[in-house]
Amino acid sequence: MQAVQAYLNTKVSTASQKDLVVLIFESAIRYLKQAKEKIKEKDYAQKGILISKALDCIAELDASLNMEKGGDIAKNLHALYFYCQTRLLQANMNLDPKKIDEVISILQQIGTAFAEIKNSSA
């Protein structure tokens, strides 16, 4: 376990800003997929922790937006992130995996776009 943590720490500390954004999307999606499993297992405490971690990821993505330079794109992403957070809070309260799936889909689409931008500018 320590080797995995050391690898992750190195990966994060050596990543570019664009790489970090992609990693945050991947982490949020991974947490949400795990949360869906916890709902199936009726492990509601762990489900709540995983959704909270995904919410933290989305909050980090939202905080990284440059509203001055980003214009309409930043405003639209802010609105999408807010929508995702709202849906996850509803999913958490109602044990609703469909709402989690909706957020996963949104995050995958935005994350894929960021990855494509990152790869095209490399």
Side-chain angles (χ1 to χ4, degrees), residues 95-111:
L95 304 174
D96 189 343
K98 289 182 183 175
K99 286 185 173 99
I100 295 173
D101 283 334
E102 179 184 5
V103 173
I104 288 171
S105 177
I106 292 168
L107 294 178
Q108 284 174 330
Q109 290 176 42
I110 300 170

Side-chain angles (χ1 to χ4, degrees), residues 55-121:
L55 285 166
D56 289 344
C57 290
I58 295 169
E60 187 65 32
L61 291 167
D62 190 47
S64 72
L65 294 173
N66 185 330
M67 299 307 273
E68 291 176 20
K69 292 181 181 179
D72 286 341
I73 293 173
K75 289 176 188 171
N76 291 338
L77 284 171
H78 173 70
L80 269 173
Y81 294 150
F82 180 77
Y83 177 79
C84 288
Q85 290 169 322
T86 301
R87 297 302 275 177
L88 288 179
L89 292 172
Q90 293 168 346
N92 195 27
M93 288 187 301
N94 301 320
L95 304 174
D96 189 343
K98 289 182 183 175
K99 286 185 173 99
I100 295 173
D101 283 334
E102 179 184 5
V103 173
I104 288 171
S105 177
I106 292 168
L107 294 178
Q108 284 174 330
Q109 290 176 42
I110 300 170
T112 298
F114 270 99
E116 288 173 7
I117 290 167
K118 178 187 79 97
N119 292 334
S120 68
S121 65

Side-chain angles (χ1 to χ4, degrees), residues 7-101:
Y7 168 76
L8 291 174
N9 288 341
T10 301
K11 187 173 180 179
V12 169
S13 65
T14 60
S16 71
Q17 189 173 13
K18 291 176 186 175
D19 289 332
L20 287 175
V21 170
V22 172
L23 286 172
I24 293 170
F25 276 108
E26 291 171 352
S27 295
I29 292 165
R30 185 177 63 251
Y31 292 139
L32 293 175
K33 287 178 178 179
Q34 291 171 350
K36 283 178 52 182
E37 288 301 314
K38 295 303 175 185
I39 290 172
K40 287 180 190 173
E41 296 170 6
K42 299 187 184 322
D43 185 350
Y44 303 127
Q46 191 62 34
K47 173 263 318 168
I49 290 168
L50 290 162
I51 288 177
S52 291
K53 288 181 177 188
L55 285 166
D56 289 344
C57 290
I58 295 169
E60 187 65 32
L61 291 167
D62 190 47
S64 72
L65 294 173
N66 185 330
M67 299 307 273
E68 291 176 20
K69 292 181 181 179
D72 286 341
I73 293 173
K75 289 176 188 171
N76 291 338
L77 284 171
H78 173 70
L80 269 173
Y81 294 150
F82 180 77
Y83 177 79
C84 288
Q85 290 169 322
T86 301
R87 297 302 275 177
L88 288 179
L89 292 172
Q90 293 168 346
N92 195 27
M93 288 187 301
N94 301 320
L95 304 174
D96 189 343
K98 289 182 183 175
K99 286 185 173 99
I100 295 173
D101 283 334

